Amino acid sequence: MPQQDSHARTALVVVAHHRPDSLTAHTARRAAARLEAAGYRVDLLDLHAEGFDPRMNVADQPEWGDRDKRYSDETHAHMRRLLDADLVVAVFPVYWQNVPAILKGWIDRVWNYGFAYGRSKPRLAGKRILWLGLAGATADDPVTEGMRTVLTSLSEGIARYCGLAHSTIGLLSDADGRLLVGDAGADAEREAHYAAFDQRAREYVEKFLADETVTA
């Protein structure tokens, strides 16, 4: 890993896939590498690998009369990582036109009342997020536009509601799931397909970083 300046900004890369050899995990690693090249210190949060429990529980249930409620130690640790990040990149497969349960549960428990919302000055104000969703559908499949609509609603209903300065959807279609990283059986056509896929993912990250330069 390259040497990072102690004053470098931090990017929290959140991965929501159970397989480390998946295209989703591969895309997250490439995004992390690009962020490091841009000068960020990357905090890679692999929800499955870290054993995050997406289920809501009594300790993390909001209490509307107490916005300073002390949530569970696990949730508090994730809140700190989110608070320490200048930007967030969430990388996930699109399941039924939405984010996977583990990512939704992370939002439910961590982006909680009194922390992410419920204050006159949101604690996440000024942060930026890129949602990189991998979809098996092709770009010209009518369902793809529905996915984009749902994810845009997620962006508006969560990120902007919590005061983030910028929220971007990066929908990566044609992620058919047949490629595992290191798959020796990949033929030339498939290799070209996934090289183009990697390029589209990189372009989303590049544009996200460029937008920061423009709006800073």
Side-chain angles (χ1 to χ4, degrees), residues 133-145:
L134 285 72
T138 59
D140 58 356
D141 189 325
V143 76
T144 302
E145 192 55 39

Side-chain angles (χ1 to χ4, degrees), residues 39-190:
Y40 283 89
R41 183 187 74 83
V42 172
D43 178 7
L44 186 63
L45 170 54
D46 186 327
L47 294 172
H48 282 278
E50 295 194 18
F52 182 79
D53 187 348
R55 297 172 298 178
M56 181 55 77
N57 53 58
V58 174
D60 294 324
Q61 181 178 345
E63 292 184 9
W64 308 118
D66 181 13
R67 70 179 185 182
D68 295 313
K69 173 181 177 177
R70 170 74 186 198
Y71 295 108
S72 69
D73 289 344
E74 180 184 31
T75 289
H76 183 75
H78 281 266
M79 287 176 171
R80 173 51 56 188
R81 293 170 76 173
L82 184 56
L83 200 59
D84 287 346
D86 297 283
L87 61 82
V88 180
V89 178
V91 190
F92 56 93
V94 178
Y95 291 163
W96 293 108
Q97 303 194 43
N98 212 323
V99 298
I102 196 166
L103 180 56
K104 179 58 167 60
W106 181 72
I107 294 168
D108 290 345
R109 290 182 61 198
V110 179
W111 296 52
N112 214 327
Y113 176 67
F115 171 70
Y117 66 97
R119 293 181 179 272
S120 57
K121 184 178 181 181
R123 290 177 173 172
L124 303 183
K127 299 184 186 297
R128 307 169 68 251
I129 186 166
L130 170 63
W131 309 86
L132 274 181
L134 285 72
T138 59
D140 58 356
D141 189 325
V143 76
T144 302
E145 192 55 39
M147 293 178 187
R148 192 181 308 278
T149 298
V150 171
L151 295 178
T152 299
S153 177
L154 178 86
S155 171
E156 294 291 333
I158 297 176
R160 299 199 186 281
Y161 184 74
C162 293
L164 274 73
H166 190 75
S167 181
T168 300
I169 298 297
L171 182 58
L172 292 162
S173 58
D174 298 285
D176 62 15
R178 291 181 297 163
L179 179 71
L180 298 180
V181 177
D183 183 358
D187 56 27
E189 183 178 355
R190 287 176 61 201

Side-chain angles (χ1 to χ4, degrees), residues 2-5 7-11 30-42 87 202 205-206 208-210 212-213:
Q3 190 72 25
Q4 296 292 336
D5 189 289
H7 300 292
R9 293 171 295 175
T10 297
R30 289 182 66 91
R34 179 63 193 93
L35 290 163
E36 287 182 339
Y40 283 89
R41 183 187 74 83
V42 172
L87 61 82
R202 180 185 175 91
V205 176
E206 295 280 6
F208 182 63
L209 291 172
E212 177 186 41
T213 303

